[in-house]
Amino acid sequence: MSTATTNGLAARIEGGRRVYGQGDNEVRALDGITRDFPLGRFTAVMGPSGSGKSTLMQCMAGLDRLTEGETWIGDMQLTGMSESSVTRVRRDNVGFIFQAFNLVPTLNARENILLPLDIAGRKVDQEWFDKVVTDLRIADRLDHRPSELSGGQQQRVAAARAIASRPKIIFADEPTGQLDSRSSAEMLDVMRGAVDQFGQTIIMVTHDPGAARHADQVIFLNDGKVVDEMDDPTADAIFDRMKAMD
Amino acid sequence: MIVTQATRNLLSNKLRLFLTSLAIVLGVGFVTGAFVLGDTINKSFDDVFSADNSASAVQVRGKAVVSEQDRKAVPADVLDKVKAVDGVADATGTIMGQAQVVGPDGKAIGGQGPPTFGFNWVEGPTNPMHLVAGEAPRADDEVVLDKATAEKAKATVGGSVTVVTDVGPAKYRVSGIATFGQSGQTAGATLTFFTPATANRVFTSSGKFASIEVTTKAGVSDQALAERIGKVLPAGYEAVTTAQSAKEAVEGFQVFVDIFRNILLGFAGISLFVGAFIIFNAFQITIAQRGRQIGLLRAQGATSGQILGSVMLEAALVAVIASVVGVLFGIFVAWGLHALFNAIGAGLPEQSLVISPRSIIIGLAVGIVITLLSALGPAFRSSRVPPMAALHPMPDTRSRPWAAVVSGIVLVLGAVMFVWGTLGDMATAPRVVLMAGGGMLLFFGAAALTQYIARPLAYAIGGAFAWRGGRMPLRLGRRNAMRNPHRTAQTASALTIGVALVAAVSIFAASLQETFVGTLEKRLNADVIAFAQSPDGFSVAAEKSAEGVPQVTDVMVSRFVQFKRADGDTASVSGLDPAKVGAVYDAGVEDGTFAELTQPNTVAVSRDVADDLKLKVGDSLPMTFAQTGTAPRKVVAIFKDTTFGRYYMDNAQVTANSTRARDQAILANAAPGVSADQAQKAMETALKGYPSVKAYSKSGYLDFIGTQVNQTLLMFYMLLAMAVVIAVFGIILTLALSVFERTREIGMLRAVGLSRRGTRGMIRWEAVIVSLIGAVVGLVLGTFLGVIAVKAFPDLTAMRIPWLQMLAFIVFAALAGVLAAILPARRAAKLNVLEAIATE
Ligand SMILES: Nc1ncnc2c1ncn2[C@@H]1O[C@H](COP(=O)(O)OP(=O)(O)O)[C@@H](O)[C@H]1O
Ligand SMILES: [Mg+2]
């Protein structure tokens, strides 16, 4: 049992191992990762395909369980928690933006954005909500169903959902992967803004150095291990580092 | 390639196959079961009535002027005439009446459907019985019993047995035990044989016979002899070959067997109709889910014909599997029902199941055709999926506005046809076609229209549960129920049919109860009602026992006899005691008076008969009786209430016009100073010797009538419940498919914090809302059907809609929804979030 302190941290993983399969088929998606994610920081996770980025996010967000090691959200240790407790932690403390298929088709944009708050029975900060939807240029699309929105709009609604409830931490797995550059830029600006204005913590997986450059820090994964990190990155520096890794 | 595709689709989801097939299996099962059981029962009656069992060759009897059962008795001198005809070897007169054998415990043996016959024992070749123990009855107090009856009554040769006849109960010595014909089967009837003298006395036959049995001399054909005998018979009598009369007897039974078989077929039809909705729905949903896959096949060059073929092939596989299983199930159903009927005393003869190729072929054909027809629509739709569907998910097909209009027309047409078929004046065949066709169109129309009200209804129902806190699972469930109104309507429709039929039957039952119990409550003034416990009534001798009871007064019996009207309709006229009727029963005389019924050749008729035949008091009504022929009768009273009958005569006149008078009821009041309870007890004691009649207090009698009504309808409820169960399986199927379809969405909800419980709640609410939509529409249709059905029976003078029961159906529907949701909800809650949200 670790006694590591989690003061001032949004999330933490210690000795994280996630192994798929057995014997010859064994894949170590995460191979011993220990890392702190301080509050109010925007972290980008990069690495080649199959390096374990998604697995890291999912394990830390409580969607998946580590084979070995421990994770925390704030000071709540997820390892060993019951399924329903983990669900509650997710509901109250975690926001998600996935690469696609983020929205519930029966709910309109506004309802989708408010969904986590509704499930938790919490009230929305109306001022913040208005700002988020305005910045994401979806204020006039709030009464539309996902099927009536473009891909970019859908993705921005998903971002609004994650940001509007001001969770302790937002996990975003390639949120801009299928967006055009303008939508992509807007989304990153809003995410950056949430970090700067409200001290929002965000962990974002991305392939795009242009996206990763908005983060405070980039960490590089390879074969389930953190192989490097870079503070206040620029697109060029990231690009060079990525090239070196291939 | 198409074949493998179809089998793979089919086998890929065994749950879907099971749920889809279930309704067809049940429906086909009932079709096959109805035929197998009908054939089996018919075969056993064939055996019982077979001419082989009869020792005689020709039968002489009164012509069937009024009915097959009620024929003019044959005077003794006719027997002498018949005996003198050339070619007659032997001729004997048969005396026949009702003989109720009583067991050692004082309970009646048999008589719950199959008859309780008493005869004279005849010597010689015309006797169809074979003594297996003892000898023929010789003394006046001796009887021979059939073997099965003797066993049930625990009677042995030399022992004694009590038999109730027209002269009352008496103890007899059992001189012998005999079996009937070749097979020894009597189809549940009890047979008692007396000496001719005793038979004549106990059946008050005054020397007349029910029929004369004749055997032929060698070299004379039965037919020729029958013709020869016919020439010497007085008017009103006929001679037929025994083969002919046996055939008629079998046909008489076949009518009942056919009615029963048709009821079973009706329920089979309902199951299949519900099943058709479920199959249609299942194929519709899977094809919607496979839109992308089908588009891909199309993009790669599959023709729309190939797609159509592949879907129909899958349907054919379902059809064949389900129909084959259904036929096997049907044989089991027939076996089970046969055993069940005997368990409740129907006394069906031992008979191995008659499984004719026809039963199997019809079962298979019905199952296969209905499955294929149900799948045809979705299959055509799938063949129209464009290759583009591979790239873009297909939007939900929007209903065209004219579809609503067409559905509305279908609904109205169905309603009109049903009303016409139910209330119109026509033969049975067009009536059944109109009613069944109209009913089906009504349901089709309603099902098609339900999609237009599914959204607002789901919204309203969801809103009705808002007191539950308006929490997320409810709101999500409501949204799910509203998202695809077409599907919601289809799913709900299966339940609509079941609920509508159950509701209609409940309205019918309530109105029946209300009519009888309500009217009786109001019009029956008797403190004690002794009522027949068997359809054959009870011995007229019971009246004397009742009259001797000092604790009662105003004792009045009610007996009846059949007659024929001038227009050829056969009806029943009840007897009453004009002096006493007023004290025990208020028939609501509107014109004239019952007192005049003591005058010869008089009759009282109900208001509806009077209106129908344009009769006034003083007019004359010709009535034809089997025993006495036609005579005009003066109408002396017109009354309102038809609970006990539409025609009344004086009891003495009823008796004078019938040979086999049986009583239906004895009404009486408590004597002064005697409580109603004491009077009922005293009557009960006095009638102890008559197990086919039971004395009730007024409230006890009302309960009895109520219970009878309910029991009659119980089978209907049970069979209809099956339609509801099938519908619930349909809901399970749709939900399971929907959960599968929404895997990603459910994963998303779980990811952002919807708990497993919440997920289950969401599915449950959806099921409850869909069920309630089905129930609400069903109740509306059922109320319509029920009201029309009640209107179709002029005897049902009271119309009652049992609101409380209707409310209970709504609650049951909601519970059915909860039940249906269990499995799909569990599936949804167990979804692996990661797999659910994994991008492809
Ligand atoms: N459910 C699974 N079963 C087996 N192997 C898996 C599973 N999920 C991921 N992996 C493997 O784990 C490794 C890391 O996967 P992932 O975290 O998705 O990588 P990334 O997101 O960086 O592309 C890969 O080799 C992948 O094949
Ligand atoms: Mg990934």
Side-chain angles (χ1 to χ4, degrees):
Chain A
M1 187 76 199
S2 165
T3 52
T5 170
T6 55
N7 273 347
L9 292 185
R12 173 174 162 75
I13 180 166
E14 186 176 307
R17 237 178 262 283
R18 180 68 172 94
V19 184
Y20 291 111
Q22 277 178 347
D24 285 349
N25 297 328
E26 189 180 279
V27 176
R28 298 180 169 208
L30 295 182
D31 194 8
I33 291 186
T34 301
R35 187 135 198 114
D36 293 345
F37 295 90
L39 279 169
R41 289 261 279 189
F42 188 171
T43 311
V45 181
M46 301 194 74
S49 189
S51 58
K53 305 181 294 291
S54 293
T55 307
L56 175 66
M57 305 276 276
Q58 288 158 358
C59 287
M60 293 200 60
L63 293 174
D64 196 3
R65 292 196 182 242
L66 288 174
T67 312
E68 215 178 286
E70 282 132 37
T71 60
W72 287 260
I73 296 288
D75 55 1
M76 291 162 291
Q77 188 178 357
L78 298 187
T79 325
M81 258 191 198
S82 74
E83 160 65 28
S84 55
S85 307
V86 173
T87 303
R88 219 169 303 124
V89 171
R90 271 207 310 272
R91 186 188 74 187
D92 295 335
N93 301 285
V94 179
F96 287 98
I97 310 171
F98 300 100
Q99 188 171 359
F101 305 108
N102 269 297
L103 306 178
V104 177
T106 46
L107 305 178
N108 66 26
R110 183 197 312 278
E111 291 164 330
N112 263 294
I113 295 170
L114 296 179
L115 184 65
L117 289 169
D118 271 347
I119 291 175
R122 284 186 359 230
K123 277 257 170 298
V124 67
D125 174 344
Q126 192 61 46
E127 216 174 301
W128 175 232
F129 177 91
D130 290 342
K131 178 168 168 39
V132 170
V133 298
T134 311
D135 289 354
L136 284 166
R137 283 195 304 123
I138 48 173
D140 57 340
R141 314 301 287 172
L142 289 177
D143 293 325
H144 292 258
R145 293 281 178 90
S147 60
E148 298 159 338
L149 301 175
S150 73
Q153 286 168 334
Q154 289 184 33
Q155 208 55 0
R156 279 178 274 147
V157 171
R161 180 186 64 198
I163 295 167
S165 56
R166 280 209 223 136
K168 186 156 272 152
I169 186 163
I170 293 174
F171 293 98
D173 195 345
E174 304 189 34
T176 58
Q178 297 189 344
L179 295 187
D180 59 72
S181 56
R182 174 157 179 217
S183 296
S184 177
E186 278 162 2
M187 209 156 116
L188 288 163
D189 282 343
V190 174
M191 285 164 85
R192 183 72 245 174
V195 175
D196 292 342
Q197 293 173 43
F198 294 97
Q200 181 64 58
T201 313
I202 298 178
I203 305 180
M204 173 181 76
V205 170
T206 183
H207 274 116
D208 173 13
R213 127 189 108 75
H214 291 79
D216 297 316
Q217 183 184 47
V218 183
I219 59 177
F220 296 91
L221 252 55
N222 204 0
D223 290 337
K225 294 192 184 73
V226 178
V227 291
D228 201 356
E229 57 182 78
M230 186 185 288
D231 286 332
D232 301 320
T234 62
D236 289 341
I238 297 167
F239 190 75
D240 291 343
R241 180 68 191 81
M242 292 281 286
K243 244 176 141 182
M245 238 162 77
D246 283 342
Chain B
M1 160 237 146
I2 290 172
V3 175
T4 44
Q5 177 86 22
T7 18
R8 196 166 339 105
N9 286 337
L10 187 70
L11 299 175
S12 67
N13 195 335
K14 291 193 189 66
L15 179 72
R16 184 166 76 87
L17 174 64
F18 170 73
L19 291 169
T20 315
S21 317
L22 193 77
I24 293 298
V25 168
L26 289 179
V28 169
F30 268 72
V31 170
T32 310
F35 279 108
V36 169
L37 187 62
D39 289 351
T40 303
I41 296 177
N42 275 337
K43 173 77 165 59
S44 49
F45 283 123
D46 270 355
D47 289 350
V48 171
F49 291 103
S50 155
D52 297 346
N53 284 330
S54 178
S56 73
V58 175
Q59 187 180 54
V60 176
R61 61 190 189 186
K63 285 189 173 148
V65 178
V66 173
S67 74
E68 290 283 342
Q69 292 77 36
D70 196 3
R71 293 170 186 268
K72 191 170 185 178
V74 188
D77 61 330
V78 174
L79 179 58
D80 295 334
K81 279 187 195 148
V82 170
K83 274 183 173 161
V85 171
D86 183 34
V88 171
D90 188 25
T92 53
T94 302
I95 301 169
M96 190 173 120
Q98 300 283 336
Q100 174 67 64
V101 176
V102 183
D105 54 357
K107 295 223 171 82
I109 308 287
Q112 296 303 314
T116 54
F117 284 135
F119 300 97
N120 56 328
W121 181 270
V122 297
E123 293 297 343
T126 55
N127 190 336
M129 301 301 290
H130 305 279
L131 279 169
V132 292
E135 51 184 28
R138 309 222 188 277
D140 284 349
D141 67 339
E142 284 185 338
V143 292
V144 165
L145 296 176
D146 79 270
K147 194 159 167 264
T149 306
E151 276 164 12
K152 281 188 209 139
K154 299 191 177 61
T156 49
V157 173
S160 75
V161 65
T162 302
V163 185
V164 186
T165 59
D166 293 354
V167 295
K171 261 205 161 70
Y172 297 86
R173 201 182 86 85
V174 179
S175 69
I177 290 169
T179 56
F180 172 71
Q182 307 292 314
S183 61
Q185 301 283 6
T186 64
T190 70
L191 309 177
T192 311
F193 297 86
F194 304 85
T195 63
T198 304
N200 190 40
R201 182 176 60 83
V202 299
F203 298 134
T204 52
S205 304
S206 29
K208 291 184 178 175
F209 302 117
S211 65
I212 292 172
E213 305 296 328
V214 182
T215 52
T216 53
K217 280 189 178 139
V220 186
S221 84
D222 295 359
Q223 187 58 43
L225 188 63
E227 279 164 25
R228 231 180 276 168
I229 294 172
K231 293 207 182 81
V232 306
L233 292 177
Y237 297 95
E238 62 185 5
V240 295
T241 62
T242 311
Q244 167 72 18
S245 71
K247 198 169 139 243
E248 286 168 12
V250 168
E251 280 165 4
F253 268 93
Q254 252 163 14
V255 172
F256 290 104
V257 176
D258 284 353
I259 289 175
F260 171 72
R261 190 192 65 196
N262 290 344
I263 290 177
L264 278 187
L265 285 178
F267 286 106
I270 293 169
S271 303
L272 289 169
F273 190 54
V274 174
F277 272 86
I278 293 175
I279 291 173
F280 178 84
N281 211 17
F283 274 91
Q284 188 97 309
I285 297 175
T286 27
I287 281 159
Q289 287 173 359
R290 281 188 219 147
R292 194 182 283 259
Q293 185 191 340
I294 294 171
L296 209 62
L297 287 174
R298 294 277 282 122
Q300 285 164 0
T303 66
S304 64
Q306 280 173 316
I307 301 291
L308 182 75
S310 146
V311 174
M312 286 313 283
L313 191 71
E314 183 175 353
L317 284 171
V318 174
V320 170
I321 293 173
S323 302
V324 168
V325 176
V327 165
L328 295 177
F329 175 66
I331 292 168
F332 173 77
V333 166
W335 174 82
L337 284 177
H338 197 268
L340 178 74
F341 289 150
N342 276 343
I344 59 177
L348 296 176
E350 283 299 315
Q351 171 71 54
S352 54
L353 292 177
V354 179
I355 304 168
S356 72
R358 176 207 55 176
S359 309
I360 294 175
I361 290 169
I362 291 183
L364 288 179
V366 162
I368 291 172
V369 167
I370 290 189
T371 310
L372 290 183
L373 279 183
S374 318
L376 206 55
F380 267 113
R381 182 173 289 204
S382 77
S383 72
R384 289 201 302 261
V385 168
M388 279 299 288
L391 308 175
H392 302 285
M394 291 276 286
D396 279 346
T397 43
R398 295 215 172 271
S399 347
R400 297 158 213 88
W402 56 261
V405 177
V406 171
S407 309
I409 292 171
V410 167
L411 179 88
V412 172
L413 184 70
V416 167
M417 273 170 66
F418 183 80
V419 171
W420 186 28
T422 312
L423 302 181
D425 192 18
M426 67 192 80
T428 309
R431 186 188 295 285
V432 168
V433 169
L434 275 179
M435 283 175 68
M440 274 164 74
L441 285 186
L442 190 65
F443 281 121
F444 276 132
L449 284 178
T450 301
Q451 63 176 299
Y452 301 101
I453 54 169
R455 257 176 216 271
L457 215 52
Y459 190 80
I461 292 168
F465 285 104
W467 53 269
R468 300 270 304 143
R471 285 177 312 196
M472 212 55 210
L474 169 58
R475 281 162 57 196
L476 290 168
R478 169 157 83 170
R479 289 299 170 91
N480 285 340
M482 290 166 68
R483 73 201 296 174
N484 189 340
H486 190 76
R487 180 185 302 184
T488 298
Q490 284 294 342
T491 312
S493 294
L495 192 62
T496 297
I497 299 167
V499 170
L501 293 172
V502 171
V505 170
S506 79
I507 288 177
F508 192 80
S511 302
L512 206 62
Q513 292 266 16
E514 181 88 354
T515 303
F516 284 105
V517 178
T519 320
L520 287 174
E521 183 114 60
K522 206 164 65 207
R523 297 195 173 269
L524 196 64
N525 301 320
D527 295 322
V528 182
I529 298 103
F531 200 79
Q533 300 296 295
S534 129
D536 284 323
F538 56 89
S539 167
V540 291
E543 181 185 10
K544 266 189 242 74
S545 304
E547 277 187 325
V549 180
Q551 288 92 334
V552 301
T553 174
D554 305 323
V555 175
M556 192 197 91
V557 307
S558 155
R559 62 192 48 152
F560 67 92
V561 60
Q562 286 189 318
F563 73 96
K564 200 157 224 173
R565 293 193 335 197
D567 58 7
D569 285 1
T570 301
S572 237
V573 53
S574 303
L576 50 74
D577 186 336
K580 293 174 180 165
V581 61
V584 286
Y585 167 60
D586 171 19
V589 176
E590 297 182 339
D591 219 348
T593 157
F594 280 164
E596 280 190 47
L597 284 175
T598 49
Q599 305 293 318
N601 288 326
T602 50
V603 67
V605 300
S606 62
R607 169 55 64 196
D608 55 347
V609 169
D611 289 348
D612 191 24
L613 300 178
K614 305 205 166 42
L615 291 170
K616 301 188 303 292
V617 166
D619 287 354
S620 111
L621 173 72
M623 295 169 80
T624 305
F625 292 99
Q627 303 307 325
T628 52
T630 311
R633 289 186 161 263
K634 193 174 124 192
V635 175
V636 296
I638 292 171
F639 56 89
K640 184 161 182 298
D641 183 47
T642 56
T643 314
F644 287 110
R646 301 191 135 77
Y647 305 85
Y648 289 121
M649 293 188 343
D650 182 68
N651 267 334
Q653 295 187 28
V654 169
T655 313
N657 285 294
S658 66
T659 46
R660 283 168 58 181
R662 297 286 284 174
D663 285 344
Q664 206 54 42
I666 299 176
L667 309 181
N669 276 324
V674 178
S675 79
D677 247 21
Q678 286 167 326
Q680 183 265 333
K681 291 244 160 57
M683 186 75 103
E684 197 170 285
T685 314
L687 295 176
K688 257 223 156 66
Y690 298 88
S692 349
V693 57
K694 188 166 180 225
Y696 297 95
S697 65
K698 183 174 173 182
S699 65
Y701 177 64
L702 294 181
D703 284 351
F704 167 72
I705 293 291
T707 315
Q708 291 261 299
V709 170
N710 282 343
Q711 273 177 2
T712 314
L713 293 166
L714 188 66
M715 189 174 87
F716 283 80
Y717 276 125
M718 271 164 45
L719 288 167
L720 288 178
M722 203 175 69
V724 174
V725 169
I726 295 176
V728 169
F729 278 103
I731 297 178
I732 298 178
L733 177 63
T734 310
L735 283 179
L737 292 174
S738 297
V739 166
F740 173 71
E741 186 181 35
R742 297 177 202 149
T743 300
R744 177 166 287 141
E745 175 188 331
I746 292 168
M748 174 60 49
L749 285 165
R750 295 274 292 118
V752 299
L754 191 65
S755 63
R756 288 201 160 138
R757 225 180 105 182
T759 311
R760 280 196 297 269
M762 172 178 76
I763 304 292
R764 191 158 48 231
W765 280 117
E766 180 179 357
V768 167
I769 289 171
V770 170
S771 303
L772 285 176
I773 291 176
V776 167
V777 178
L779 280 188
V780 173
L781 287 188
T783 305
F784 170 77
L785 295 178
V787 167
I788 299 296
V790 171
K791 286 248 184 284
F793 289 83
D795 277 339
L796 295 181
T797 49
M799 165 85 63
R800 195 162 80 80
I801 296 174
W803 294 114
L804 213 64
Q805 258 185 55
M806 301 289 213
L807 204 69
F809 294 152
I810 298 261
V811 175
F812 272 122
L815 288 178
V818 172
L819 220 62
I822 292 178
L823 270 177
R826 193 177 297 175
R827 242 186 181 197
K830 278 210 182 123
L831 275 184
N832 182 326
V833 180
L834 278 182
E835 278 171 26
I837 59 177
T839 48
E840 53 199 26

